[in-house]
């Protein structure tokens, strides 16, 4: 059996150097200062994102630039996972699956728009990743599917099949994709939990700690976003929550879910165990949608900052553990969303200060 | 090139305030003053001085300048740099105006980008259809051939959302679309009274025509896309002179503000101070005098000994030595007034490389690579540094020449003994075929040569150290330190012991009485160094630790110093055996490839290929390894004898100051 030094010695040293680059705030600062999207692309060129910048030069299409950045991210993360084997590699594979699930969801959304709502998706399929990330999925067949069974065939014999088989075309036609997407997300969380649990002691402790924290954050966000803002009925709200977490098992959460959607109190949901969060929301704003949105965003921002800090803390722990690859995956994802967020802001002419406040 | 760091002078000037702008321009033109903040005045006088707010927001200037860089990058233009700056071109600053120009320009480019995006989206649909047709996924595509009396343009408009392609002939209309849009398209066609053709010939012809049209449209779109890209580039290039002018003006103001930030003001005068190399001090003074029409007071003074620590260090080396100067400054900046080590590093580095990688042919290849990459960087100044960066490309030229000289000395060309050696045949010695009577017979002789070479390098390092210490008047360090005379004496004794041991056939060590006496004297010198330093500092009024602390420090440090003296010098000397090691490895590797090439069953072509492969491998791996080892020997074996890198780099505010 490989020792932890043998397993992580090389890759963690490599990743730590790369993490140093990612943490450098220069790119973000420069992008925010750019006067327009055209200038921001010039900055990307300067910071080593030539391929994404070239896509913009050739197409002028920001969404294709985002796709190019995503492709870079996927290639990079795949390369990292190749340096590991066994259970740690499996965990990283599941993290890559999260990106894949988003892509599958996007493909299904396109199909839904075209086949169910008869809205032309025209060029939009160009914004999908079409190659294999983790599972063999035929994205072309998904977007061109005539029936829901065609979609099930397109995902092959992967775990997606079982999840998709829980739904029928009629259900999707009447209820939309929300439940299906939630089921896919829940399945990834299941896989993530299983993969974390299968690790060796030190790695397992770290992975489970991060996992639980992330699930808690996601559940809080869902409880607030869907339970408070969208006022989802109890049963639906309960079904989309992820198990395994402290928030999920909490009695206060159950009371919150079961109370009348119009009278749910986020303050009381968070007050006892998340005092710092409860200060960010005020139930009295429930009549003012804009103020509610701002509160939800503030809460999400706060939770993402908290998540970032926890990953940062992990980097300070034992050097030869899964913490470094996990932190690297997290930082890479975050970097991607920050760059896309700023570029999007620049495209729509949003003020730099406002963009800064919006990017998570 | 001076053997020592440049002599500096502290220039302090008081100029009439209304002429300060001219002074700034004059100082910027010369670019020789490394400014210091005026703080060394009595507090009551310092309180009378004020600091003016800069005329402009430096951050805003820098941001605007970088915006220009980013725009120019879009056209692949060469970014402006300091070589374009001329102080006489400086005009007043209009940040708001510049920003408006950039905003307008950016927005005009964005408009073209939107056109490009729309065009590309059309391209994406058509290329998706084409991909399906070419990969036999015809199930996803629908071709319809028929006719209608409705105007074709109306149909095109209605089907535009679906990315359909429509072709009309006198006999029929053909449409090509994606099957996923069938429901919508059928709806539109039904509305316009579409009658499907049942003639199979027309169907076939229509299918062929619409596929041809697909290819034509894709080609046309590609051309249009290229045209738009060209238009953007052209638009930026058209504006380039204006953008560069703005860039230069912004940069000049940025530098002027940087100079002004060191100025202190009274009601009518401006004060500033800075270090300037002695050779430029009169020029700077005269420029200030002219800029103020003589309304100034300029004081120039040579540094006093207690200022030495804070004096910036200017190391002047001719262009030829620049790669080696970089090696020195990468390690650290020499102290003010000490020897500039660049000379010695040049000789040491090249000679080490020559001994490790001596080959006329392979050296020529290195020279060629160096010349080609250097030429390429010169021709394309904006080119990004590759694995052979700008510095390495120049260094390769020197290393190539050194290796070629080595090849001539040791008679090696691409691993073959094609030319008679000037000294001895390295190949024969390593392969054990050296002729009797030649000066070097076996690898032990080569190891011996490199040890002697190492001893010379170490002593050169010690000599430089002693000269530096004499200049600094640090006689205690010179006499009693490990790198002083005491250490050198112990090292010399060590060399003698080693030499005698070898001469006895590795059997006995020398037993002369003076050896022990000299070693004891050396050890005592190391012991008393610390107390002597203590007394010296105490006498000069410096803050010193207690006597007890000094004694305990001395007693603790002494054994460590002794150990470091014995092991340090020994390991430093033996470390030079790597020079022989690399040289021997070089010959052995080439010998191995030679044997492989001449092996049984090898055709001449295959043999030549093996030799080429061998040479490429040796050039890449051995070349890199020799380069790194030479650097290592310089940094760890040579520099540690004299170089502490405590100097401060001379960095005047000039037109050439770093832009980032």
């Amino acid at each position: 059996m490989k020792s932890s030094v043998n397993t992580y010695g090389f890759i963690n040293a490599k990743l730590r150097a790369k993490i140093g680059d990612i943490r450098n705030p220069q790119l973000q600062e420069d992008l925010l200062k750019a006067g327009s999207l055209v200038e921001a692309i010039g900055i990307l060129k300067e910071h080593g994102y030539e391929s994404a910048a070239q896509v913009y030069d050739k197409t002028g299409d920001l969404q294709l630039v985002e796709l190019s950045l995503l492709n870079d991210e996927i290639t990079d993360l795949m390369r990292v996972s190749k340096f590991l084997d066994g259970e740690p590699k499996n965990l990283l594979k599941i993290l890559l699956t999260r990106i894949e699930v988003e892509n599958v969801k996007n493909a299904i959304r396109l199909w839904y728009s075209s086949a169910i709502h008869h809205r032309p998706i025209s060029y939009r399929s160009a914004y999908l990743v079409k190659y294999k990330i983790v599972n063999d999925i035929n994205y072309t067949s998904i977007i061109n599917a005539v029936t829901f069974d065609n979609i099930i065939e397109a995902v092959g014999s992967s775990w997606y099949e079982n999840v998709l088989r829980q739904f029928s075309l009629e259900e999707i036609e009447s209820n939309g994709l929300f439940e299906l997407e939630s089921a896919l997300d829940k399945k990834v969380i299941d896989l993530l939990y299983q993969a974390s649990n299968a690790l060796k002691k030190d790695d397992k402790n770290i992975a489970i700690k991060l996992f639980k924290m992330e699930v808690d954050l996601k559940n809080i966000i869902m409880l607030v976003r869907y339970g408070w803002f969208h006022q989802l009925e109890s049963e639906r709200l309960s079904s989309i929550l992820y198990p395994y977490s402290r928030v999920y098992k909490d009695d206060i959460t159950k009371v919150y879910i079961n109370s009348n959607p119009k009278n749910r109190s986020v303050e009381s949901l968070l007050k006892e165990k998340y005092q710092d969060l409860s200060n960010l929301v005020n139930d009295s704003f429930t009549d003012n949608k804009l103020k509610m949105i701002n509160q939800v965003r503030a809460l999400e921002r706060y939770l993402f900052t908290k998540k970032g800090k926890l990953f940062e803390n992990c980097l300070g722990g034992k050097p030869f553990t899964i913490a470094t690859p996990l932190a690297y995956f997290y930082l890479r994802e975050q970097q991607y969303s920050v760059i896309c967020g700023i570029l999007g802001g620049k495209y729509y002419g949003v003020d730099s200060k406002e963009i800064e406040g919006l990017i998570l | 090139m001076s053997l020592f760091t440049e002599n500096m002078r502290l220039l302090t000037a008081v100029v009439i305030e209304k002429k300060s702008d001219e002074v700034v321009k004059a100082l910027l033109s010369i670019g020789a003053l490394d400014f210091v903040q005026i703080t060394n005045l009595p507090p009551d006088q310092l309180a009378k001085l004020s600091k003016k707010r800069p005329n402009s927001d430096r951050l805003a200037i820098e941001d605007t300048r970088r915006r220009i860089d980013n725009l120019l990058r879009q056209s692949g233009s060469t970014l402006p740099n300091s070589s374009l700056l001329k102080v006489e071109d400086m005009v007043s600053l209009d940040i708001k105006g510049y920003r408006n120009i950039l905003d307008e320009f950016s927005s005009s480019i964005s408009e073209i980008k939107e056109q490009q995006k729309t065009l590309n989206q059309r391209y994406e649909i058509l290329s998706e259809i084409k991909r399906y047709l070419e990969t036999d996924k015809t199930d996803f595509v629908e071709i319809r051939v028929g006719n209608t009396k409705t105007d074709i343009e109306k149909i095109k408009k209605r089907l535009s959302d679906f990315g359909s392609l429509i072709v009309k002939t006198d006999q029929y209309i053909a449409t090509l679309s994606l099957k996923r849009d069938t429901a919508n398209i059928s709806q539109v066609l039904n509305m316009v009274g579409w009658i499907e053709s049942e003639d199979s010939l027309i169907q076939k012809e229509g299918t062929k025509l619409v596929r041809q049209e697909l290819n034509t449209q894709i080609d046309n779109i590609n051309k249009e896309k290229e045209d738009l890209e060209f238009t953007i580039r052209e638009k930026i290039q058209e504006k380039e002179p204006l953008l560069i002018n703005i860039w230069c003006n912004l940069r000049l103001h940025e530098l002027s503000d940087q100079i002004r930030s060191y100025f202190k003001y009274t009601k009518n005068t401006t004060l500033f101070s800075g270090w300037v190399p002695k050779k430029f001090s009169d020029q700077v003074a005269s420029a200030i005098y002219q800029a103020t029409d003589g309304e100034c007071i300029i004081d120039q003074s040579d540094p006093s000994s207690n200022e030495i620590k804070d004096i910036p260090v200017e190391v002047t080396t001719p262009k030829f030595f620049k790669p080696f100067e970089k090696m020195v400054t990468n390690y650290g900046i020499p102290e003010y007034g000490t020897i500039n080590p660049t000379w010695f590093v040049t000789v040491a580095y090249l000679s080490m490389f020559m001994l490790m990688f001596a080959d006329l042919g392979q050296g020529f290849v290195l020279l060629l690579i160096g010349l080609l990459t250097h030429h390429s960087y010169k021709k394309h100044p904006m080119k990004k540094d590759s694995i052979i960066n700008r510095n390495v490309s120049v260094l390769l030229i020197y290393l190539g020449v050194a290796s070629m000289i080595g090849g001539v000395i040791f008679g090696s060309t691409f691993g073959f003994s094609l030319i008679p050696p000037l000294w001895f045949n390295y190949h024969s010695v390593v392969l054990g075929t050296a002729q009797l009577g030649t000066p070097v017979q076996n690898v032990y002789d080569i190891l011996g040569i490199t040890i002697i070479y190492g001893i010379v390098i170490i002593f050169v390092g010690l000599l430089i150290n002693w000269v530096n210490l004499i200049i600094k008047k640090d006689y205690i360090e010179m006499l009693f330190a490990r790198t002083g005379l005491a250490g050198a004496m112990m090292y010399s004794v060590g060399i003698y012991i080693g030499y005698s041991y070898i001469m006895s056939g590795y059997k006995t060590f020398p037993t002369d009485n003076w050896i022990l006496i000299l070693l004891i004297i050396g050890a005592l010198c190391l012991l008393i160094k610390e107390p002597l330093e203590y007394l010296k500092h105490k006498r000069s009024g410096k803050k010193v630790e207690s006597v007890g602390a000094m004694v305990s420090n001395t007693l603790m440090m002494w054994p460590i110093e002794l150990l470091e003296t014995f092991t340090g010098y020994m390991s430093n000397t033996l470390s030079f055996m790597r020079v022989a090691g690399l040289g021997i490895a070089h010959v052995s590797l080439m010998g191995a490839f030679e044997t492989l090439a001449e092996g049984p069953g090898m055709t001449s072509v295959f043999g030549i290929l093996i030799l080429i492969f061998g040479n490429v491998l040796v050039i890449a791996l051995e070349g890199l390894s020799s380069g790194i080892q030479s650097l290592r020997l310089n940094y760890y074996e040579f520099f540690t004898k004299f170089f502490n890198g405590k100097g401060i780099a001379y960095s005047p505010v000039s037109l050439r100051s770093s832009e980032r």
Side-chain angles (χ1 to χ4, degrees):
Chain A
M1 193 186 280
K2 264 180 153 182
S3 70
S4 54
V5 177
N6 279 337
T7 309
Y8 297 111
F10 176 70
I11 185 63
N12 284 13
K14 207 174 156 72
L15 291 181
R16 276 185 184 266
K18 289 176 109 180
I19 285 171
D21 280 346
I22 296 178
R23 278 159 140 188
N24 184 353
Q26 196 60 50
L27 171 65
Q28 190 176 322
E29 284 168 14
D30 288 351
L31 282 174
L32 282 169
K33 279 179 192 167
S36 65
L37 178 62
V38 178
E39 288 171 32
I41 297 291
I43 292 164
L44 281 188
K45 267 186 196 164
E46 195 196 355
H47 284 270
Y49 292 89
E50 283 94 349
S51 53
Q54 268 171 20
V55 169
Y56 187 72
D57 290 347
K58 297 248 173 274
T59 66
D61 192 339
L62 178 59
Q63 275 176 282
L64 286 178
V65 174
E66 289 175 358
L67 179 69
S68 168
L69 290 168
L70 182 65
N71 284 335
D72 288 350
E73 186 193 338
I74 293 169
T75 315
D76 186 31
L77 298 182
M78 280 176 162
R79 205 178 295 136
V80 171
S81 60
K82 274 186 190 154
F83 284 103
L84 292 169
D85 43 32
E87 299 308 334
K89 183 179 187 155
N90 189 41
L91 179 63
L92 298 192
K93 217 169 89 178
I94 306 298
L95 291 175
L96 268 166
T97 308
R98 292 211 296 206
I99 301 176
E100 185 184 78
V101 166
E102 287 308 313
N103 199 49
V104 171
K105 276 155 64 177
N106 285 336
I108 295 176
R109 278 175 206 152
L110 286 181
W111 164 80
Y112 181 78
S113 177
S114 165
I116 310 291
H117 286 299
H118 302 299
R119 288 189 203 116
I121 57 174
S122 62
Y123 54 85
R124 284 179 195 88
S125 74
Y127 304 140
L128 288 176
V129 175
K130 307 250 175 46
Y131 52 86
K132 178 181 172 182
I133 302 174
V134 177
N135 295 287
D136 276 313
I137 288 162
N138 191 337
Y139 296 99
T140 306
S141 293
I142 295 180
I143 50 172
N144 289 294
V146 179
T147 64
F148 188 61
D149 283 341
N150 292 151
I151 293 182
I152 297 175
E153 277 165 36
V155 296
S157 54
S158 62
W159 60 264
Y160 291 92
E161 190 190 350
N162 289 336
V163 178
L164 294 184
R165 281 203 186 281
Q166 295 166 18
F167 299 87
S168 66
L169 183 64
E170 292 70 35
E171 266 179 87
I172 292 171
E173 272 177 338
S174 56
N175 297 337
L177 291 171
F178 184 69
E179 259 85 11
L180 188 145
E181 290 186 5
S182 295
L184 288 172
D185 290 336
K186 278 176 99 169
K187 180 65 189 174
V188 181
I189 292 290
D190 280 345
L191 293 173
L192 207 53
Y193 182 71
Q194 285 160 20
S196 304
N197 232 1
L199 294 168
K200 280 196 278 182
K201 196 183 159 198
D202 279 348
D203 284 349
K204 185 178 160 180
N205 289 343
I206 294 165
I208 292 286
K209 186 179 168 190
L210 290 172
F211 169 83
K212 287 198 167 167
M213 175 269 302
E214 189 165 4
V215 172
D216 266 340
L217 297 189
K218 282 184 185 245
N219 277 339
I220 291 173
I221 288 171
M222 285 200 286
L223 285 166
V224 176
R225 189 173 267 272
Y226 299 117
W228 186 60
F229 184 72
H230 291 294
Q231 298 178 349
L232 220 63
E233 67 266 29
S234 306
E235 204 184 326
R236 278 186 94 187
L237 181 61
S238 178
S239 72
I240 60 167
L241 289 183
Y242 303 122
Y244 313 111
S245 79
R246 189 165 68 152
V247 172
Y248 181 80
K249 291 170 190 161
D250 207 336
D251 288 338
I252 299 172
T253 308
K254 281 170 194 153
V255 172
Y256 174 83
I257 292 171
N258 292 324
S259 50
N260 183 337
K262 287 183 180 166
N263 299 329
R264 282 187 186 127
S265 163
V266 182
E267 276 178 80
S268 44
L269 171 75
L270 303 170
K271 205 169 171 181
E272 198 174 309
K273 287 177 182 155
Y274 299 93
Q275 182 66 48
D276 44 351
L277 290 182
S278 71
N279 296 334
L280 295 171
V281 281
N282 185 341
D283 290 336
S284 60
F285 285 136
T286 41
D287 291 337
N288 187 329
K289 285 281 176 194
L290 189 66
K291 281 188 177 170
M292 278 172 87
I293 289 174
N294 287 337
Q295 286 188 67
V296 173
R297 287 206 64 83
L299 197 73
E300 285 177 353
R301 218 169 17 247
Y302 180 84
L303 290 172
F304 275 95
T305 315
K306 231 177 151 172
K307 182 177 162 187
K309 275 183 188 157
L310 199 71
F311 274 100
E312 297 271 330
N313 289 345
C314 278
L315 284 173
K318 291 181 181 174
F320 305 113
T321 62
I322 192 110
T324 310
L326 290 182
Y328 182 72
F329 267 57
Y330 164 73
L331 289 169
R332 200 71 173 74
E333 272 177 42
Q334 200 195 32
Q335 188 191 37
Y336 166 75
S337 58
V338 165
I339 294 175
C340 291
I342 299 176
L343 293 181
K346 293 289 166 193
Y347 179 74
Y348 290 108
V350 183
D351 180 64
S352 297
K353 283 260 178 295
E354 211 174 317
I355 298 175
E356 207 173 356
L358 288 172
I359 50 172
L360 293 169
Chain B
M1 180 173 83
S2 164
L3 186 61
F4 295 92
T5 62
E6 286 290 329
N7 284 329
M8 305 293 282
R9 302 191 92 176
L10 185 65
L11 186 145
T12 306
V14 182
V15 300
I16 201 91
E17 210 264 315
K18 60 184 179 196
K19 297 280 172 70
S20 68
D21 283 347
E22 280 71 24
V23 173
V24 168
K25 285 183 183 176
L27 292 173
L28 193 54
S29 293
I30 298 172
L33 205 58
D34 187 350
F35 289 90
V36 290
Q37 294 287 2
I38 298 175
T39 50
N40 227 357
L41 289 174
D44 56 328
Q45 287 183 34
L46 203 60
K48 287 177 190 164
L49 300 176
S50 67
K51 204 173 174 182
K52 274 193 183 164
R53 286 187 60 186
N55 298 336
S56 49
D57 178 357
R58 261 167 79 181
L59 264 179
I61 295 179
E62 202 189 320
D63 288 348
T64 315
R65 189 168 59 76
R66 297 204 66 189
R67 283 186 66 184
I68 296 174
D69 282 345
N70 294 328
L71 278 172
L72 289 173
R73 235 181 242 118
Q74 288 298 84
S75 70
S77 309
T78 307
L79 297 191
N81 57 47
S82 55
S83 65
L84 301 169
L85 299 179
K86 286 180 192 147
V87 174
E88 56 274 20
D89 292 345
M90 196 156 101
V91 291
S92 60
L93 199 65
D94 177 16
I95 292 274
K96 208 177 161 193
Y98 296 158
R99 278 183 175 162
N100 285 340
I101 291 173
L102 294 177
D103 287 344
E104 272 172 33
F105 187 51
S106 252
S107 120
S108 71
I109 303 259
S110 298
E111 276 169 27
I112 306 175
K113 280 280 167 198
E114 276 302 307
Q115 290 173 33
Q116 201 185 17
K117 179 181 154 187
T118 312
L119 202 59
N120 192 67
Q121 288 171 343
R122 174 79 183 144
Y123 168 81
E124 291 292 348
I125 308 171
L126 297 182
S127 58
E128 188 184 354
I129 296 174
K130 193 182 174 189
R131 205 167 49 243
Y132 295 154
L133 288 173
E134 284 174 351
T135 53
D136 284 336
K137 285 179 181 160
T138 41
D139 288 356
F140 297 153
V141 179
E142 186 175 62
I143 298 174
R144 294 181 72 169
V145 183
N147 226 326
T148 171
K149 286 177 184 164
T150 314
D151 179 22
I152 183 94
E153 292 309 317
K154 274 186 186 167
I155 306 174
K156 276 186 181 172
K157 204 176 169 192
R158 287 187 176 180
L159 293 181
S160 63
D161 280 353
F162 307 103
S164 300
L165 204 138
I166 301 162
V167 197
K168 185 179 179 352
T169 67
D170 293 341
Q171 287 177 288
Y172 59 85
I173 297 170
T175 69
L176 173 62
S177 56
L178 287 161
K179 204 161 242 171
R180 62 183 182 229
D181 296 321
T182 298
N184 291 311
I185 288 169
S186 294
Q187 203 181 352
V188 173
L189 292 182
N190 289 339
M191 277 167 66
V192 297
W194 177 267
I195 302 162
E196 200 77 29
S197 170
E198 285 171 6
D199 185 336
S200 63
L201 210 69
I202 286 182
Q203 284 280 355
K204 208 172 168 186
E205 202 186 308
T207 305
K208 196 178 160 193
L209 188 70
V210 88
R211 286 180 79 150
Q212 276 173 0
E213 178 63 17
L214 175 72
N215 289 330
T216 313
Q217 283 210 14
I218 288 179
D219 290 344
N220 288 345
I221 291 176
N222 274 332
K223 205 181 161 301
E224 276 183 71
K225 276 167 71 181
E226 272 174 30
D227 287 347
L228 280 180
E229 258 188 87
F230 181 74
T231 311
I232 291 171
R233 267 203 303 274
E234 215 178 31
K235 223 171 159 59
I236 297 176
Q237 276 161 6
E238 212 174 86
K239 281 264 180 197
E240 199 175 298
L242 173 68
L243 293 178
I244 289 177
N245 271 345
I246 296 175
W247 188 96
C248 289
N249 197 36
L250 287 165
R251 180 68 187 146
L252 287 166
H253 279 275
E254 215 176 325
L255 290 168
S256 302
D257 276 357
Q258 197 182 337
I259 292 179
R260 274 195 202 93
S261 70
Y262 291 96
F263 284 9
K264 286 272 183 337
Y265 299 88
T266 62
K267 195 179 172 190
N268 296 313
T269 65
T270 302
L271 275 87
F272 58 88
S273 183
W275 291 100
V276 58
K278 201 169 183 175
K279 60 187 175 190
F280 294 130
S281 62
D282 287 340
Q283 191 190 346
V284 175
S286 135
I288 297 169
Y289 191 82
Q290 277 176 21
T292 54
D293 297 326
E295 290 178 294
C296 62
I297 300 164
I298 301 166
D299 175 63
Q300 294 186 60
S301 58
D302 290 321
S304 61
S305 57
N306 58 356
E307 276 174 328
I308 280 181
K309 271 187 199 164
D310 305 320
I311 303 170
V313 178
E314 160 81 323
V315 181
T316 329
T317 43
K319 223 176 167 186
F320 180 85
F321 292 95
K322 284 292 168 196
F324 304 99
E325 184 189 302
K326 188 97 185 144
M327 278 183 200
V328 173
T329 48
N330 267 352
Y331 186 87
I333 305 292
E335 275 188 291
Y336 179 74
T338 60
I339 288 179
N340 171 9
T342 310
W343 263 107
F344 302 96
V345 171
T346 307
V347 176
Y349 189 84
L350 290 178
S351 60
M352 284 172 199
F353 189 83
M354 183 193 80
L355 291 171
M356 287 190 247
F357 197 82
D359 193 292
L360 183 61
Q362 290 170 355
F364 181 69
V365 175
L366 286 184
L367 173 67
L368 217 60
I369 296 170
L371 286 172
L372 287 174
T373 45
H374 180 59
H375 176 72
S376 161
Y377 283 126
K378 251 189 150 174
K379 210 172 164 191
H380 310 285
M382 290 308 292
K383 192 177 162 184
K384 272 203 161 183
D385 275 349
S386 64
I387 194 161
I388 300 176
N389 65 26
R390 283 167 170 78
N391 285 324
V392 174
S393 70
V394 181
L395 189 63
L396 277 180
I397 298 173
Y398 296 101
L399 295 181
V401 173
S403 175
M404 286 170 76
I405 295 170
V408 172
I409 293 174
F410 300 117
S412 175
T413 313
F414 288 120
F416 290 99
S417 304
L418 298 180
I419 48 167
L422 284 184
W423 186 7
F424 64 88
N425 189 319
Y426 216 118
H427 286 258
S428 312
V429 173
V430 174
L431 301 172
T433 56
Q435 286 178 350
L436 282 173
T438 46
V440 180
Q441 286 290 309
N442 52 41
V443 287
Y444 293 105
D445 293 339
I446 297 177
L447 287 170
I449 291 169
T450 53
I451 296 266
I452 294 168
Y453 172 78
I455 292 169
V456 172
I457 294 282
I458 290 171
F459 266 109
V460 170
L462 290 173
L463 273 171
I464 296 173
N465 187 42
W466 300 339
V467 174
N468 286 345
L469 291 171
I470 290 170
I471 292 167
K472 289 197 284 183
K473 295 184 179 147
D474 194 346
Y475 302 115
I476 295 176
E477 187 76 17
M478 196 195 129
L479 290 170
F480 303 106
R482 188 154 49 88
T483 50
L485 285 173
M489 181 179 73
M490 294 168 87
Y491 180 45
S492 305
V493 171
I495 293 169
Y496 175 75
I497 295 171
Y499 176 74
S500 304
Y501 180 66
I502 293 165
M503 285 297 116
S504 71
Y506 303 97
K507 283 179 186 137
T508 52
F509 287 101
T511 51
D512 316 50
N513 289 336
W514 60 264
I515 292 178
L516 191 64
I517 296 168
L518 286 183
L519 286 178
I520 290 171
I521 293 173
L524 288 174
C525 284
L526 295 181
L527 179 68
I528 60 167
K529 188 196 145 224
E530 197 66 28
L532 288 174
E533 292 274 13
Y534 175 84
L535 288 174
K536 183 182 146 192
H537 287 156
K538 199 170 178 187
R539 199 177 295 168
S540 62
K542 279 186 189 165
K543 200 181 170 193
V544 287
E545 59 200 339
S546 67
V547 178
M550 184 272 289
V551 171
S552 70
N553 272 349
T554 305
L555 292 176
M556 276 168 69
M557 291 301 292
W558 187 53
I560 296 168
E561 279 284 302
L562 274 177
L563 197 70
E564 277 196 12
T565 308
F566 287 120
T567 57
Y569 276 113
M570 191 166 80
S571 62
N572 287 161
T573 310
L574 294 180
S575 190
F576 281 89
M577 283 167 77
R578 78 186 65 227
V579 175
L582 265 283
I584 293 165
H586 181 238
V587 172
S588 306
L589 263 173
M590 285 319 301
F593 281 112
E594 218 174 296
T595 314
L596 269 177
E598 289 164 357
M602 289 291 168
T603 60
S604 58
V605 176
F606 202 57
I608 290 170
L609 284 177
I610 287 182
L611 283 176
I612 292 173
F613 172 74
N615 270 287
V616 170
L617 195 79
V618 166
I619 291 169
L621 294 182
E622 282 274 320
L624 181 71
S625 185
S626 304
I628 293 170
Q629 292 301 337
S630 305
L631 191 66
R632 184 225 176 275
L633 284 169
N634 271 285
Y635 278 179
Y636 294 103
E637 266 61 64
F638 186 43
F639 278 13
T640 48
K641 302 292 168 293
F642 66 95
F643 195 10
N644 63 20
K646 283 182 185 169
I648 306 163
Y650 166 65
S651 136
V653 181
S654 78
L655 297 176
R656 311 281 167 263
S657 295
S658 169
E659 288 146 21
R660 298 271 166 243

